[in-house]
Amino acid sequence: MTSEVHRRAFLQLLAVAGAGTAVLPGTAEAGTGFPLVERGKAATIVVGSGDRPGVRRVAGDLATDVERVTGVRPAVSIDVVPAHGPVVLIGTLGHSPLVDDLVRAGRLDVTGVAGKWETSLSQVVDGTLVLTGSDQRGVIYGVYEISRRIGVSPWYWWADVPPRRSAELHLPGERFSLGTPRVKYRGFFINDENPALGTWAPAYFGPGKAPGYPGGFTHEFFAKVFETMLRLRANYLWPAVWGRAFAEDDPLNHATAKEYGVVMGTSHEAPMMRGIEEWNRHAVAAVRDAAGTIVTPGHDPYGGTGEWSFRRNGEAIKAYWADGIRRMAREDFEGVVTLGMRGNGDVSLPDGDGIELMREILATEREILARELTTDVPQVWTLYKEVQRYWAQGLRPADDVIVVFTDDNWGNIRKHPDLSLPPHPGGYGLYYHFDYVGGGRNYKWVDTALIANTWEQLNQAVSYGNDRLWVVNVGDLKGNELPLQFFLDYAWNPSALPASRLSTWERDFAATNFGAAPASDIASVLHDYGRLQSRRKPELLNRKITLQADGTIVYDDQATPFSLVNYRELDTVTDEWQALAARASKISSRLPAVYRDAYYELVLYEVEATANLYALRRAEFTNLLYAAQGRASANGLAALTEARFADDLALAAKYNTGIAGGKWNGFQTQPHIDYGDVARYGPNAPWQQPEKDNVALPDVIFPAVQRASVPAAAEMGVAVDGSEQWWPAAPGRPVLPEFSPFQSTPAQYVDVFNRGRTPFRCTVTAGAPWVRVEPRGGRVDEELRMTVRIDWARAPKGTTTVPIAVSGAGRTVVVDAMVVNRSLPVTWRHGFVEAGGHVSMEADHGDAVPAAGVSWRRIPDLGRTGAGMTPFPVTAPSHAAGAGPRLEYRMTLFTTGPVTVWAYLSPRNNVLQGDGLRYAVSLDDAAPQVVNITKVSGADDTTMNRQWERTTSDNVNLTSTRHVVAAPGPHVLKLWMIDPAVVVQKLVVDTGGLRPSYLGPPESTRLGR
């Protein structure tokens, strides 16, 4: 009776309150719009006692958020509408009598909302702000959108972003809805959480509640996760699994998920709503001999052998699964049930990979669900790693099961649905990665996702109809805030985020967290951070991968992948990082103090720490080279390496104890330097983090620096650009890389260094007056770098070898400079010009020629050194060689005869239904040469072989074709589309002088644009 009286009174109040206005987007000027807070008083928040639990709870969050911003806390009223003052009414359609009465009275139009999935509506009705939705999450998302717009970041807790303070809050005027999400289930997987999150969370929230497992995560921890999910408009979670069991670590975990309105799931290796650790904690597997006979008995709670084996311990496994489903029914939480089965420990099944076995497993799980549940629940089968083979062999689950395709753990989707076949009724999903543990090497330390790459892959997924369920591995969650928010924003509404709006999205992210004034500068730093980081994971900065002539792939975990001597590559990339860190630091110094903790967490730490790691690696590997040359300066570089290592520790210490009052103590403990140290921590070192007995080890410098015993007497050594040798120890005369008036590479140099402690003076004499050496000698304490340049106005035409004599400490070394001064007729001055034995061209610097409704589209920053070019639409059919759209690059070549064209491609997998992704290349009017990228590279994303490890680690797939240049002069290189999904980053024509490097040479000089 009381509730009915309140409802009638509410309608009477509305009847005399006046005509309706609307609310959102944004906030209104003071004195206009709905007065959420005005003159020190807040509107009353009203929510129904019979509404969904997540809606009742979020009403309190809105009150808290308003208080965060204004200092005024709104009252939260249950069922009772106050007679005076503004009201915020929160309620779910069909579950809130107050809201439903407005609909019946014709005062609230729910067209396009009612009956939808997770669809919100915000509207001012006769002076009352109504926040409603089609279901409980629709309401929750609408409420949190208000919070976001009044100045509370979704990352207010996880990244300590301060609220944007305001004395008053007025919400403006239009009916507003966030719309219906494109991807139905959107969420993330907390995974690989040791040591960072696994160290910090139990210390901050208290130990897990399961006896003997203090490292478990409690409901207080997950409450923070669930709230952030909902603020980001996610709805689905795979909980942490490294030694953790969600259901056991705290009996309130599932209840908390229900309270918040979150959909629970389990990872690809954990079927039937039970984490694999629930089995491992209570089962001891039997040991069998080679014949399969048990030699050491095992046990489990179901009277079985303790083996995670459907063939050998099937009845126990079935009982275990049934218990999981019964618990789901008993605790009445919303979930998506994982089907299938993988081996214990994220590996393939111990029973073999026969298709009939998997068919039986799926059927058994479906039988259990039908027996134990009275209502249908959504189910998912994830085709992770080896599981995709079953799909390829024709196995299909029941029609209502969501089929989840995956990436290759490195951000490259493995397979798309076949558009030539009828769609699977249950729909398709995607499992993606921003964090990974496995080959070729873990990447867990800092965010390394490139937004452009993520966009390109997610756009493909949506275009191929993959939109039922998306989940992304975010590791510790903290540290991957930006890519996670982008992933979820895109999943909500892909059409709102075309490639042209990526920079706008970055700016909006910065503004939400730091305000409008510094947003552009911060967004620029974050943008460049992602661009630089995408070249190579920081964990891989001490691995050089070499493809031998016989096809063997060799890893060297004590070498830099960037060239120390060619194109000044290591110096260039390191200097770019130092410049970025300087920009980031300058912004920090200008930010209000209240933002600096959040800035350190979201921006500054990852930028400064990565820049410092690059500086460490440059000092370290230069030390190793110089020590081998006997340079006295090697010892100083050893000390510099150690200083950068100390800085690495100091940056982590600041994160742990120097910000947010020590809130994150223990979080920044992820090792990232000592990878590959087999002598220290065993045979898994090439890929696994430094650890012993599954516990992470603190970093040490690896490879270790070297110190030389430097004699007292001076001794001159000479090294030159392009060579790791030194003279006079090396045979013959040193030769500098070719000089050309068209070269775009850095100026050539000669290093004069001391192999002793006593300084000496050196002199330099060039064999021609138009060869300029700067400086022309001088005092050499440890080393002196001299740059060599040509006065092209005075240099003779043709090829000239000029000797440069370097003398000091009683010896002379003559360095040869090969100067090539070619004439360039006017008709040749269009396009890229050969110099130094190569032509290097960024993919987007050609002419795109469409065909048959398909064109090449530029995706900014998708390449390691520039934009990427890829065919659009991404669902375009394949074309015959020479019939599809093409990219044309105009070049001037001086070299004739055979040349090699290297295509730098993104390491995409064969997502289509054929035997590999293909493109074609032709020179001038010659027939196109077809390249099957998948076959030529040999990369296998299922077996994850070394060829695949090479392409993903290097973030490029290098393929080549051979062509013949008949005559010097202008030429046109054409790259033809055959299949969609190919991404071209760069093209390099090797005319005989290409030098080894990681990124390839800088782009060649381009004339007549």
Side-chain angles (χ1 to χ4, degrees), residues 270-340:
M272 303 296 276
M273 205 55 76
R274 302 202 73 171
I276 193 66
E277 186 64 15
E278 290 189 62
W279 179 267
N280 293 338
R281 288 180 179 181
H282 307 290
V284 175
V287 178
R288 298 176 183 264
D289 62 18
T293 303
I294 293 178
V295 293
T296 302
H299 61 84
D300 57 56
Y302 303 97
T305 65
E307 296 166 282
W308 183 253
S309 167
F310 192 78
R311 281 281 178 255
R312 291 175 165 175
N313 197 26
E315 293 308 309
I317 296 292
K318 293 174 190 177
Y320 171 78
W321 287 344
D323 265 1
I325 300 305
R326 280 193 288 269
R327 180 177 64 201
M328 182 182 183
R330 182 174 63 252
E331 298 187 8
D332 189 31
F333 59 86
E334 188 176 1
V336 176
V337 176
T338 292
L339 301 182

Side-chain angles (χ1 to χ4, degrees), residues 429-505:
L430 175 65
Y431 174 36
Y432 202 72
H433 286 76
F434 296 142
D435 167 284
Y436 178 58
V437 167
R441 184 163 284 176
N442 299 2
Y443 60 93
K444 301 174 57 182
W445 174 43
V446 290
D447 164 28
T448 57
L450 177 67
I451 292 300
N453 185 81
T454 304
W455 180 89
E456 191 269 338
Q457 289 291 276
L458 299 186
N459 176 67
Q460 281 194 32
V462 167
S463 299
Y464 278 83
N466 185 332
D467 60 5
R468 194 62 54 89
L469 181 152
W470 285 7
V471 61
V472 61
N473 186 330
V474 293
D476 300 308
L477 173 61
K478 187 170 178 61
N480 276 315
E481 296 92 343
L482 183 146
L484 172 60
Q485 185 168 335
F486 179 82
F487 179 90
L488 294 171
D489 283 355
Y490 192 87
W492 184 273
N493 187 3
S495 63
L497 279 174
S500 60
R501 292 200 74 250
L502 296 186
S503 60
T504 301
W505 184 92

Side-chain angles (χ1 to χ4, degrees), residues 622-631 633-635 706-708 755:
T622 307
N623 159 265
L624 297 178
L625 173 62
Y626 286 9
Q629 295 175 344
R631 297 198 195 196
S633 59
N635 292 344
Q706 296 182 11
R707 283 183 165 82
R755 290 169 52 86

